[in-house]
Amino acid sequence: MEGHRRYRPRAHPSARTQVNTTALPGERAPRPGPVTDADDERLARLRRRVVEPVVTSVLTTEELEHLSVHWGVDGREGDVWVRLDVPDQRHEELLLSPWWVADPCDVEVPTSAAQIAAHLGDRLEDWICETAFAWGQQRRARYQLPET
């Protein structure tokens, strides 16, 4: 049998199996939704009071192209996301907020503006040093939150 090839019929290209890759609602990854700080006053207050002071302490006005705060979808009730557009890149960060519905198994959820700001600042410091525009730079979030 050496030197003989086995005949393997090829399937016609139109006979390929098609797979639906759309996740079921319970299987979708949490992400920012369509409701933003432009539409919702609670998100607008959170942006002014916490998000903007932290973000502007680690990014320059030339680097920050767009900033928005969103209610999350396909996650837990009360998820809040921060979306940043910087040169050639978009970053979306799940922001732990006082509106989270905490599970007993979760770590302690930040509930004050200072705790939320510290969490966001820590996450942004880690992310910025890995971006193309600030590769290797170790920036520190130094901010002061407005009184109200």
Side-chain angles (χ1 to χ4, degrees):
M1 293 271 201
E2 196 173 317
H4 288 93
R5 289 184 167 178
R6 265 195 176 160
Y7 173 73
R8 293 185 186 160
R10 286 189 169 172
H12 190 273
S14 65
R16 290 187 183 143
T17 305
Q18 300 217 355
V19 178
N20 183 356
T21 58
T22 303
L24 296 172
E27 297 173 342
R28 292 187 184 137
R31 64 190 186 284
V35 178
T36 71
D37 54 280
D39 311 313
D40 185 281
E41 184 53 36
R42 283 200 312 178
L43 291 177
R45 279 195 315 270
L46 181 65
R47 175 185 169 146
R48 285 188 306 270
R49 174 111 168 84
V50 177
V51 176
E52 285 178 354
V54 175
V55 170
T56 58
S57 77
V58 293
L59 294 172
T60 66
T61 54
E62 293 82 27
E63 294 167 338
L64 182 61
E65 296 172 348
H66 179 76
L67 169 64
S68 55
V69 180
H70 300 249
W71 287 117
V73 294
D74 295 327
R76 294 172 52 196
E77 182 182 335
D79 282 354
V80 175
W81 288 79
V82 174
R83 179 180 283 167
L84 302 165
D85 288 337
V86 295
D88 301 323
Q89 195 171 352
R90 170 170 280 174
H91 179 69
E92 297 174 339
E93 186 68 50
L94 178 60
L95 177 67
L96 299 179
S97 76
W99 300 295
W100 262 52
V101 178
D103 286 340
C105 300
D106 286 345
V107 296
E108 187 174 326
V109 177
T111 56
S112 72
Q115 290 172 320
I116 295 166
H119 171 79
L120 179 61
D122 180 61
R123 302 297 301 217
L124 291 179
E125 288 172 3
D126 291 345
W127 166 71
I128 286 173
C129 68
E130 297 180 4
T131 62
F133 70 89
W135 180 257
Q137 293 180 18
Q138 190 172 17
R139 298 186 187 182
R140 294 286 175 224
R142 292 184 173 89
Y143 52 86
Q144 182 151 357
L145 301 180
E147 288 304 313
T148 49

